[in-house]
């Protein structure tokens, strides 16, 4: 193992460890509104908790985090499920208030896959899923792909087959790569996340899409690094780790690591925002979660590649 390889892996590990530490120290930021207004809806703040559960699942699944990081992740998830979601009661309340919303299902499934259960919520979801209006919900193609994937993971028939949902996404058509901008970038990353079940099944990427990404992802990584768009760069680093042959781009990872604050927070773009603690948390929790996600997946792929390499003569 070369010193360059060792330092690169250490850098990737440190990004994730610091990010998880910040998320734990600021866990109260994943707050829910006690009595949200009808205009705002009560489900908007549930999404960060679902994202937290997804990242926790990835950390446990890949098994590359140290004992301290694993302990923090367990404590974070217990806090989110029991203290913030009321052991699922808040999700049940949300499903009853907004029966056509897929948000409770999207948030619940990763918690359920980690062993947290709310039987009444499952019954409500299965009941509402039978409504024709559930399948008729008008959403962007990449969101429809995500809903089809989450329905499959929950154990109900997808409203739209995943292959049919995929066909309408931007990435499936493999358009001109220079037309990518911010919104399209996120559509690309989430298409890959849904196809691979958040990095669990890289073989879920169709060969033509994998080849397209292998060709153009290095260019996009370079672009978003230059723009200091850290949130999207982090998601693209996850996409890289989902490819059959990830590059684990050293320049991109070095820039990403340098952008991280000493306490582990990752800004969205440029430097850290200013404001009160709650406002700053709302702006940086997502790129910090992404940093933990990218680190876990890239670490796993890097260590797998090392173990697969032949020993020196």
């Amino acid at each position: 193992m070369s010193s360059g390889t060792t330092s690169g892996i250490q850098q990737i590990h440190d990004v994730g460890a610091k990010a998880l530490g910040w998320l734990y120290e600021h866990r109260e930021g994943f707050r829910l509104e006690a009595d949200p207004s009808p205009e705002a809806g009560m489900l908007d703040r549930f999404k960060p908790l679902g994202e937290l559960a997804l990242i926790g699942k990835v950390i446990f699944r890949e098994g590359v985090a140290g004992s301290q990081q694993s302990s923090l992740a367990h404590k974070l998830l217990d806090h989110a499920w029991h203290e913030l979601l009321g052991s699922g009661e808040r999700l049940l309340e949300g499903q009853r208030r907004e029966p056509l919303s897929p948000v409770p299902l999207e948030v619940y499934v990763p918690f359920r896959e980690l062993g947290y259960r709310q039987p009444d919520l499952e019954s409500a979801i299965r009941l509402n899923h039978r409504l024709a209006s559930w399948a008729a919900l008008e959403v962007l193609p990449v969101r429809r792909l995500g809903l089809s994937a989450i329905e499959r993971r929950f154990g109900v028939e997808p409203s739209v087959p995943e292959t049919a949902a995929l066909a309408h996404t931007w990435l499936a058509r493999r358009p001109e790569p220079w037309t990518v901008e911010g919104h399209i970038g996120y559509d690309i990353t989430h298409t890959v996340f849904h196809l691979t079940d958040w990095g669990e099944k890289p073989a879920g990427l169709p060969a033509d899409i994998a080849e397209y990404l292998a060709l153009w992802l290095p260019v996009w990584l370079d672009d978003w690094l230059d723009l200091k768009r850290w949130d999207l760069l982090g998601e693209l680093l996850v996409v890289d780790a989902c490819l059959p042959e990830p590059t684990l781009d050293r320049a991109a990872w070095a820039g990403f690591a340098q952008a991280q604050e000493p306490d582990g927070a990752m800004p969205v773009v440029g430097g850290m925002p200013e404001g009160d603690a709650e406002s700053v948390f709302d702006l940086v929790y997502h790129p910090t979660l992404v940093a933990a996600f990218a680190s876990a997946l890239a670490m796993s792929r890097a260590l797998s590649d090392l173990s697969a390499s032949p020993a020196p003569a």
Side-chain angles (χ1 to χ4, degrees):
M1 184 187 300
S2 70
S3 60
T5 300
T6 304
S7 62
I9 293 176
Q10 184 65 50
Q11 183 178 69
I12 293 171
H13 169 270
D14 289 348
V15 166
K18 291 195 297 182
L20 191 59
W22 185 91
L23 291 165
Y24 181 75
E25 289 299 322
H26 295 81
R27 59 193 178 278
E28 296 302 330
F30 290 99
R31 63 204 181 279
L32 297 178
E33 299 293 337
D35 187 23
S37 67
E39 292 78 13
M42 68 173 297
L43 301 181
D44 288 347
R45 293 203 62 85
F46 286 175
K47 293 179 183 179
L49 295 172
E51 293 164 347
L52 178 63
L54 279 167
I55 304 315
K57 180 188 172 187
V58 171
I59 289 172
F60 298 139
R61 185 188 74 211
E62 299 302 328
V64 293
S67 58
Q68 182 178 2
Q69 285 75 47
S70 295
S71 176
L72 287 183
H74 275 295
K75 291 177 181 177
L76 260 174
L77 291 165
D78 279 346
H79 174 74
W81 178 255
H82 295 297
E83 302 300 325
L84 301 181
L85 289 173
S87 301
E89 288 295 325
R90 294 297 303 274
L91 288 174
L92 177 60
E93 179 188 1
Q95 186 69 78
R96 287 172 172 169
R97 283 198 190 185
E98 301 183 34
L100 299 182
S101 174
V103 171
L105 172 64
E106 293 173 295
V107 174
Y108 178 62
V109 166
F111 278 106
R112 182 177 185 252
E113 292 170 339
L114 288 165
Y116 302 93
R117 301 295 293 266
Q118 217 302 340
D120 290 340
L121 174 61
E122 295 190 20
S123 297
I125 290 171
R126 291 181 186 278
L127 176 65
N128 294 332
H129 183 263
R130 300 195 329 236
L131 299 173
S133 191
W134 180 287
L137 183 68
E138 294 186 4
V139 296
L140 292 172
V142 66
R143 181 80 190 285
R144 175 53 66 190
L145 175 64
L147 294 179
S148 296
I150 208 76
E151 288 169 325
R152 166 178 53 79
R153 287 164 55 195
F154 181 67
V156 294
E157 186 71 22
S159 303
V160 177
E162 287 175 78
T163 52
L166 171 62
H168 295 285
T169 64
W170 188 97
L171 185 56
R173 304 182 191 201
R174 307 185 306 285
E176 299 82 3
W178 56 87
T179 62
V180 174
E181 45 76 43
H183 289 296
I184 293 175
Y186 285 106
D187 290 345
I188 291 169
T189 61
H190 282 70
T191 300
V192 173
F193 299 163
H194 299 319
L195 288 174
T196 63
D197 280 350
W198 300 84
E200 182 176 4
K201 303 171 184 174
L205 278 179
D208 56 348
I209 290 179
E211 290 171 5
Y212 178 81
L213 289 170
L215 182 60
W216 294 113
L217 183 59
V219 180
W220 297 333
L221 286 170
D222 191 51
D223 282 347
W224 299 120
L225 175 60
D226 284 346
L227 293 170
K228 299 182 179 181
R229 292 279 299 271
W230 309 121
D231 188 58
L232 183 51
L233 179 65
E235 291 203 4
L236 291 171
L237 288 171
V238 176
V239 169
D240 176 61
C242 291
L243 295 180
E245 296 183 11
T247 66
L248 305 179
D249 189 292
R250 289 194 180 186
W253 268 105
F256 192 59
Q258 290 169 10
Q260 190 176 32
E261 292 292 301
D263 67 355
M266 182 68 74
V268 177
V269 56
M272 282 288 287
E274 297 180 354
D276 61 81
E278 289 187 354
S279 298
V280 171
F281 177 89
D282 289 346
L283 290 171
V284 305
Y285 86 85
H286 187 268
T288 307
L289 272 174
V290 169
F293 182 14
S295 171
L297 209 54
M299 275 284 294
S300 179
R301 296 303 302 273
L303 293 176
S304 296
D305 290 346
L306 283 176
S307 64
S309 300

